[in-house]
Amino acid sequence: MIATLRITIPLLLALCFYSPALGQEKSRQEVKLDSLFDEYVNVVHTSPVEAKLIADKILQISEENSYDIYAAKAHYLLGNLAYKKGEFSTTIEEINTAIDLLARNGVQKGLPACYNLLAVAYKNMGMLSEATEHFMSGLQLAKQLGDKRHEGNTYQNIALIYFQQQKYGQAMENLDRAKEIYEAINDQGGLIDIMFNYANIHKEQGNYEKAREQYLEVLAYFEGVEHYSKVAYVNINLSQMLVEEERYKEAVPLLKKTLQLLEKLNLHSDMAIVYNDLGLSNMNLGNLNVAIQYFDKALKIIDIDNPPYFTGEVYKNLSQLYRMKGDYKKALLYYEQYVAYEESVNSLEKEKYQEELEQEYETALKETRIALLEREKSLKEAELQKSELQEKRQRLVKNVFIAGFLLVLLTLIILRYFYVQKMKAQRRLAEQQEENSRQAINQLIKDYKLTVIERYQEGQEQERSRIAREIHDGIGSDLASLKMMLEHYLEHKGMDHNAGRIMTGIQNACKDIRNLSHQLHPLPFSQTGFSSFLKDFLVQKTNDGKLRINTFFFPEKDIDRLPDILLADVYRILQELVNNIVQHADAREAEVQLTLHEAYINIVVNDNGQGIPQGKKASGIGLRNIRERLEALAGTMSIESSEKGTLVNIDIPLINHSNIISDEEAA
């Protein structure tokens, strides 16, 4: 039975040893090469033929432009593809070329990957000593460079050498080392490979259920990431377990499915393994001719110059098969080939063992010579240490003096720093005091200005009140007396047309005098209700029919309960705005909104007139009076005016009147 052993091979992404000098921009050809590397990574697991074409193109461009590092990468990629096809001698040739290019340019990053791939090629050719030597070289370099991923890969591959020698305990130890490294760097792919090789060991130890459980978990991962070559490797091992369990009918379909995938990927060496297992299965099912066909296909794929380690098994299986058919001549022929292969392998191992002994002897001699040289070196080092000790004492005295000087200098710097900080703090304090004084003066000026405005408005109200009383008590009383005398006169003389016109004129004059008096000094709003009073005022402004005013007061009852002082200011503001509309806007329609909110009262007045001229917004007497009144009330006003009309929006906070409102509501 052939055990299918897979090796963790670092691909392109693990071979990142080229990087331009800091600040150096890549040429157009280098950018193109990087793009080709990305294309290679995308197809290497699904289309090896296309990957080979890309690698050849990378090598061609690299050699044309003398890019040695890129050429080294290209040789590595070609070696990896040759390994997948089972062409191990080609792999060794390509990787040695890559190593020479890296060494020529003094580049070490990338060598661990090369040594790793070189070692697995030797391993699959049965040359375990060479494989171990290159694995150890790669491991040492990976540790020097801090390349944890390649360090883990190497431990895993060393484990597989022990696996091939059936030293499963030592194989497990190296797999455990690799697992610790993969967990530390969170390499999920590496951990899956570890699980794959754990399953291989369980399989070889006959623990098929545990192995099958791990194989299926690994298979699901590789199918998810579309790593089809490793999907094929897992299926090979699953089918081989079925063969070992003598479940040949279940093994054949899985082997055929795997063979189709390997043919698509052009993995010849692995196809030889599957052909051999198909031959074994058909031989045990009694399909002898079919079995012979599969064994013959396996031999056609095997490289005779560099046969893999399982070649002898194929010869042995064919010999047994022809013996079962009674064709003893062919059975003897294949058995002789089997024996010749095994003898060549054993002879090669003997030669390797002899070479190793000679190397160990030469190494021992070298070590003895080195020990003598080291002894002489230690004597010279003792003399050097004595002179170095004297030099250290002199250096210590010098350093103490320098340290003392620096300490004094540092103390002076710290003292100066604190002095500067203190002066800055005093300067900031003086500036702050000056700013506070400036703000206090500005506040006093503002308070004085507000007081002047309040007194001015108070004087206006008093003058309005006096004029209103004079009109009401003087002219109003005279007109009322005149009306009464005319009525008394007409009772005796009778009413004619002219007398009626006189009576109507006197009545209209009385009404106008009363309205004018109320506008100059309205009655307390609590008597009539502010909303009703304001609506009456607005109705009077629309008597001529030229202007229509729509009103919206909400909520009216709460507005009516506001303090008379505040309502008087609201009335004066609205009076000024409406008078401006009537006198200057030439509007056909206007709207007055009065809305009471929790913290402020909002006034909105808009019309569809000709708008306010630009200069009047700042210089108009009416708007200036409104601004002064709002300044006293801490209110705000915004004006939007155009040829299509004007909108005035005013907000007056209630904070200065909240106590008055509360007292009135309580009453």
Side-chain angles (χ1 to χ4, degrees):
M1 179 61 59
I2 300 173
T4 304
L5 306 182
R6 300 317 311 165
I7 312 274
T8 302
I9 302 175
L11 299 177
L12 170 66
L13 293 179
L15 193 62
C16 301
F17 45 70
Y18 176 80
S19 59
L22 185 63
Q24 176 182 345
E25 294 185 0
K26 291 186 177 181
S27 67
R28 184 177 64 181
Q29 293 295 341
E30 289 174 317
V31 173
K32 183 178 180 179
L33 287 171
D34 290 338
S35 176
L36 289 172
F37 284 132
D38 293 337
E39 292 180 22
Y40 176 91
V41 173
N42 292 332
V43 301
V44 66
H45 301 310
T46 57
S47 179
V49 175
E50 186 178 352
K52 174 70 164 55
L53 295 174
I54 295 173
D56 288 335
K57 191 172 183 180
I58 293 172
L59 181 59
Q60 178 186 351
I61 296 174
S62 301
E63 290 178 344
E64 289 175 354
N65 293 273
S66 300
Y67 294 155
D68 287 351
I69 306 302
Y70 280 105
K73 282 188 177 184
H75 284 294
Y76 176 85
L77 302 182
L78 291 168
N80 175 59
L81 291 170
Y83 170 81
K84 288 179 175 290
K85 294 173 64 177
E87 299 171 357
F88 305 124
S89 58
T90 304
T91 299
I92 292 171
E93 181 182 349
E94 295 287 354
I95 297 305
N96 280 326
T97 303
I99 291 174
D100 290 342
L101 287 169
L102 292 174
R104 189 188 308 163
N105 288 272
V107 175
Q108 286 190 319
K109 188 175 181 182
L111 285 175
C114 290
Y115 282 125
N116 217 359
L117 183 52
L118 190 62
V120 296
Y122 280 118
K123 175 194 170 299
N124 281 357
M125 292 174 65
M127 303 170 70
L128 299 184
S129 298
E130 287 82 352
T132 303
E133 178 184 350
H134 288 96
F135 276 140
M136 297 309 296
S137 298
L139 180 62
Q140 183 178 1
L141 267 174
K143 288 182 177 180
Q144 289 177 1
L145 297 172
D147 191 339
K148 290 296 184 181
R149 180 169 284 102
H150 277 114
E151 186 180 344
N153 289 345
T154 306
Y155 277 126
Q156 188 170 191
N157 292 331
I158 292 171
L160 296 181
I161 291 181
Y162 287 119
F163 177 91
Q164 190 166 337
Q165 296 172 338
Q166 297 183 349
K167 298 178 181 180
Y168 301 126
Q170 291 166 293
M172 282 285 194
E173 289 177 3
N174 282 277
L175 287 176
D176 290 340
R177 291 192 189 112
K179 183 180 178 182
E180 290 178 1
I181 292 173
Y182 291 145
E183 288 176 343
I185 64 177
N186 195 25
D187 186 346
Q188 183 64 25
L191 292 172
I192 291 296
D193 287 334
I194 291 290
M195 184 182 293
F196 185 16
N197 289 313
Y198 280 147
N200 287 336
I201 293 175
H202 290 308
K203 170 192 160 191
E204 294 303 312
Q205 291 177 332
N207 189 357
Y208 296 137
E209 291 305 318
K210 181 65 175 177
R212 185 173 285 109
E213 177 185 345
Q214 291 179 332
Y215 279 140
L216 291 175
E217 186 174 347
V218 171
L219 181 63
Y221 174 82
F222 288 142
E223 287 177 341
V225 298
E226 298 182 354
H227 199 321
Y228 296 123
S229 59
K230 291 194 176 181
V231 169
Y233 303 152
V234 177
N235 282 330
I236 291 173
N237 284 276
L238 286 170
S239 60
Q240 284 186 345
M241 284 198 302
L242 293 173
V243 174
E244 291 172 2
E245 293 172 313
E246 299 182 359
R247 296 160 62 180
Y248 304 114
K249 290 184 178 180
E250 298 177 52
V252 169
L254 183 56
L255 286 167
K256 288 182 177 180
K257 177 183 176 182
T258 305
L259 183 61
Q260 291 177 353
L261 183 56
L262 291 171
E263 289 174 346
K264 181 180 178 182
L265 297 172
N266 200 25
L267 300 178
H268 292 151
S269 62
D270 298 307
M271 289 167 61
I273 295 173
V274 176
Y275 280 135
N276 185 71
D277 289 340
L278 281 168
L280 285 173
S281 300
N282 281 281
M283 183 173 68
N284 285 282
L285 290 172
N287 304 323
L288 302 185
N289 292 328
V290 177
I292 289 173
Q293 292 176 6
Y294 281 125
F295 285 132
D296 286 339
K297 288 181 178 179
L299 286 177
K300 288 178 182 178
I301 294 176
I302 290 174
D303 185 358
I304 301 301
D305 294 330
N306 296 292
Y309 64 90
F310 57 81
T311 304
E313 291 288 334
V314 180
Y315 288 131
K316 185 178 179 181
N317 289 332
L318 272 171
S319 175
Q320 184 179 357
L321 185 59
Y322 279 110
R323 182 181 178 185
M324 293 171 63
K325 291 189 67 176
D327 190 343
Y328 299 108
K329 184 178 180 179
K330 287 188 176 181
L332 180 60
L333 175 63
Y334 281 112
Y335 188 76
E336 288 175 350
Q337 290 179 327
Y338 164 69
V339 171
Y341 175 79
E342 291 296 325
E343 286 179 353
S344 66
V345 171
N346 292 333
S347 175
L348 185 62
E349 288 295 329
K350 288 178 182 178
E351 292 177 2
K352 292 177 184 176
Y353 182 69
Q354 184 177 356
E355 289 177 2
E356 288 176 0
L357 288 177
E358 291 176 355
Q359 289 177 358
E360 288 177 1
Y361 175 73
E362 291 178 0
T363 302
L365 287 177
K366 290 179 181 178
E367 288 177 352
T368 303
R369 293 172 183 170
I370 291 172
L372 291 174
L373 291 173
E374 287 181 349
R375 185 174 179 183
E376 293 178 2
K377 182 180 178 182
S378 62
L379 292 174
K380 292 180 179 179
E381 287 178 350
E383 294 178 0
L384 289 173
Q385 287 177 356
K386 184 177 180 181
S387 60
E388 287 178 358
L389 183 61
Q390 293 178 350
E391 185 179 351
K392 285 182 179 178
R393 289 177 179 173
Q394 294 175 356
R395 191 182 303 118
L396 179 62
V397 173
K398 181 179 178 181
N399 290 341
V400 169
F401 174 77
I402 294 173
F405 174 75
L406 292 176
L407 182 62
V408 173
L409 180 62
L410 181 62
T411 303
L412 293 174
I413 291 172
I414 292 173
L415 291 174
R416 184 181 183 283
Y417 171 78
F418 283 113
Y419 174 76
V420 171
Q421 291 298 113
K422 182 179 179 182
M423 295 301 294
K424 287 182 178 179
Q426 290 179 349
R427 191 182 305 113
R428 285 197 296 269
L429 180 60
E431 290 174 353
Q432 185 64 40
Q433 290 176 345
E434 183 179 352
E435 180 63 24
N436 293 340
S437 300
R438 189 183 300 111
Q439 291 179 357
I441 292 170
N442 290 338
Q443 186 62 38
L444 288 173
I445 293 172
K446 183 177 179 182
D447 292 343
Y448 174 76
K449 183 178 179 181
L450 290 176
T451 302
V452 170
I453 292 172
E454 289 174 358
R455 290 181 178 177
Y456 172 72
Q457 291 177 350
E458 184 179 349
Q460 276 190 332
E461 291 298 326
Q462 290 176 357
E463 184 63 19
R464 286 172 182 265
S465 177
R466 186 188 66 78
I467 294 172
R469 284 197 303 272
E470 291 294 335
I471 292 173
H472 184 273
D473 296 341
I475 300 174
S477 297
D478 292 341
L479 286 174
S481 300
L482 183 60
K483 179 184 175 184
M484 290 175 61
M485 289 191 307
L486 182 59
E487 288 175 349
H488 181 70
Y489 174 77
L490 293 176
E491 285 179 1
H492 298 285
K493 297 296 182 178
M495 179 71 68
D496 57 17
H497 176 69
N498 291 328
R501 290 177 62 187
I502 295 172
M503 179 61 71
T504 301
I506 293 174
Q507 289 176 346
N508 290 336
C510 290
K511 185 177 181 181
D512 291 340
I513 289 297
R514 184 169 61 253
N515 290 336
L516 178 60
S517 175
H518 287 175
Q519 289 178 17
L520 287 171
H521 184 64
L523 296 173
F525 301 120
S526 58
Q527 297 178 11
T528 61
F530 178 75
S531 299
S532 298
F533 178 84
L534 190 56
K535 287 178 181 178
D536 289 343
F537 164 71
L538 296 174
V539 168
Q540 293 173 17
K541 292 296 180 180
T542 59
N543 282 338
D544 57 1
K546 294 181 181 179
L547 175 67
R548 185 177 69 177
I549 301 178
N550 299 317
T551 60
F552 177 80
F553 304 154
F554 181 84
E556 290 189 9
K557 292 183 179 180
D558 292 340
I559 292 172
D560 291 343
R561 286 199 295 269
L562 290 173
D564 287 346
I565 297 174
L566 176 60
L567 292 177
D569 287 319
V570 172
Y571 170 74
R572 294 302 181 197
I573 291 170
L574 285 172
Q575 184 183 32
E576 194 71 52
L577 291 174
V578 172
N579 286 337
N580 283 343
I581 293 172
V582 173
Q583 296 173 12
H584 307 294
D586 193 19
R588 296 184 303 275
E589 188 172 354
E591 184 178 60
V592 176
Q593 296 182 20
L594 188 61
T595 308
L596 178 62
H597 297 273
E598 183 176 353
Y600 66 93
I601 184 169
N602 174 250
I603 301 170
V604 177
V605 178
N606 60 11
D607 64 76
N608 61 357
Q610 61 186 3
I612 302 175
Q614 190 64 30
K616 291 289 186 178
K617 289 184 180 179
S619 61
I621 297 175
L623 292 177
R624 189 174 63 206
N625 290 337
I626 292 173
R627 287 192 177 92
E628 291 177 352
R629 194 175 294 276
L630 289 173
E631 187 174 356
L633 296 172
T636 60
M637 177 176 66
S638 64
I639 301 174
E640 297 178 10
S641 183
S642 67
E643 295 178 355
K644 296 181 180 181
T646 302
L647 185 143
V648 180
N649 188 5
I650 296 174
D651 288 331
I652 301 175
L654 301 177
I655 185 170
N656 296 327
H657 306 280
S658 57
N659 295 332
I660 301 173
I661 295 172
S662 300
D663 294 341
E664 291 182 354
E665 288 177 349

